[in-house]
Amino acid sequence: MEQAIPETFSCLPEQGSSTLPLRLLNDFAVGVLEGPGKYASLTDVRTRKLCLRGTLVQPNEQPLEEHENDTQQPIQTEAVLDWMIEYGSKPCIWVSTAAAWYKLLAPAADYKATFQPAQRKLDLCSRAAAALQVNPG
């Protein structure tokens, strides 16, 4: 259960924003909630009940690529409610459940092909946002 995750794998957001904890999910895959082992794309969130599977890493001040040696916790989430793109110097995808927000780090090797539609949206939207910052008019 997501609520039973030790606090060391969560950080609380800034005051005034979401009250859900924020977590880092590595080696992730999106699956069909009722079909263990069946992969799905995040873009299917409106038409299917999805969940996340992967490994939580403890948040700290290190760059995200240096988290491989941190303490890790396997997880399968409850139903995915939505996902969004965070823009900035390192754009990324965040996924929400009723219990937490998950920042997706790297997909599992056997999930990479299924993740491509969401990855393409992230890449396209990030490039468009960067272009608008340079030339807003």
Side-chain angles (χ1 to χ4, degrees), residues 67-86:
H67 280 278
E68 300 99 32
N69 298 323
D70 290 352
T71 304
Q72 300 181 359
Q73 170 82 35
I75 187 172
Q76 176 176 319
T77 69
E78 298 168 7
V80 169
L81 301 177
D82 207 355
W83 65 285
M84 63 169 238
I85 295 172
E86 177 183 337

Side-chain angles (χ1 to χ4, degrees), residues 30-107:
V30 177
V32 179
L33 196 58
E34 298 86 21
K38 293 185 180 182
Y39 290 149
S41 174
L42 273 175
T43 58
D44 295 336
V45 72
R46 302 275 183 253
T47 59
R48 301 171 86 180
K49 287 194 175 212
L50 305 177
C51 66
L52 293 171
R53 297 178 188 104
T55 305
L56 292 174
V57 294
Q58 291 181 344
N60 58 34
E61 300 301 318
Q62 297 176 16
L64 294 178
E65 55 273 3
E66 295 179 15
H67 280 278
E68 300 99 32
N69 298 323
D70 290 352
T71 304
Q72 300 181 359
Q73 170 82 35
I75 187 172
Q76 176 176 319
T77 69
E78 298 168 7
V80 169
L81 301 177
D82 207 355
W83 65 285
M84 63 169 238
I85 295 172
E86 177 183 337
Y87 301 98
S89 61
K90 290 188 176 186
C92 64
I93 293 177
W94 285 88
V95 177
S96 69
T97 68
W101 279 94
Y102 294 89
K103 183 175 186 174
L104 302 183
L105 301 180

Side-chain angles (χ1 to χ4, degrees), residues 114-131:
T114 307
F115 184 63
Q116 283 307 303
Q119 183 66 52
R120 279 193 297 274
K121 286 183 181 191
L122 171 65
D123 295 343
L124 179 64
C125 291
S126 299
R127 282 191 223 118

